[in-house]
Amino acid sequence: GQHPGQLAGQLPVDGGPAPAGGRPGRARRVWTGVVVGVALAAGIGAGLWWLAERAGEQDTPSLGGLGEAGNSTEVSPQDPLSGAAPAAPADLVGVVTDGQAVFTWSNPSAADGDSYRWRRISELGDAASEMTLATLPTVSLPIEGDEPVCIEVVTVRANGTGSVGSAKGCAK
């Protein structure tokens, strides 16, 4: 029979008598599950669509260097070896001038922000002092006695990466 307040063909909504062969409230739980599932699927679909639209805005390739309106676009090349160690200084030369040993060198892999670390060494290459910072590829040291003045120099990138090798030279 029909439950009071129930239209013909509808299932009871107040937990009334169960349909033949079913448990009370089962139909309501099934429909609730279907509605939640559809809403969840719609929400996921909308989220994926939104992400795809955002990715399309940011990663749209341009052909021929022209933007969407035909304007030129600039591309900043990226150095894949930017974290790699710089080359050691080259062409290290030391000369004696006015009681000073003046050393100069070149940077074969110069990059913005490069600096140098240098230290005095013995003529045999043994370290005689701590490393000292130099922002230009030149160092002047006082001459002490008749011994040659020798140095070792490494290149240092702005990110702190030092050259694997070094340059060594003496002024006599």
Side-chain angles (χ1 to χ4, degrees), residues 46-150:
L48 291 174
W49 174 80
W50 180 79
L51 286 173
E53 287 295 310
R54 299 249 327 143
E57 291 171 8
Q58 295 171 357
D59 298 328
T60 302
S62 74
L63 301 175
L66 298 178
E68 288 183 23
N71 298 327
S72 177
T73 57
E74 284 191 37
V75 176
S76 298
Q78 299 294 316
D79 181 3
L81 301 177
S82 61
D91 309 317
L92 177 61
V93 176
V95 295
V96 176
T97 307
D98 298 326
Q100 296 279 315
V102 179
F103 294 91
T104 58
W105 59 87
S106 64
N107 183 344
S109 64
D112 288 341
D114 280 358
S115 60
Y116 309 94
R117 293 269 178 194
W118 65 272
R119 66 179 166 195
R120 286 185 84 145
I121 58 173
S122 72
E123 205 170 356
L124 299 175
D126 299 326
S129 67
E130 295 295 316
M131 295 296 259
T132 302
L133 177 67
T135 55
L136 299 174
T138 185
V139 171
S140 294
L141 300 170
I143 294 182
E144 301 165 357
D146 293 334
E147 293 295 314
V149 177
C150 303

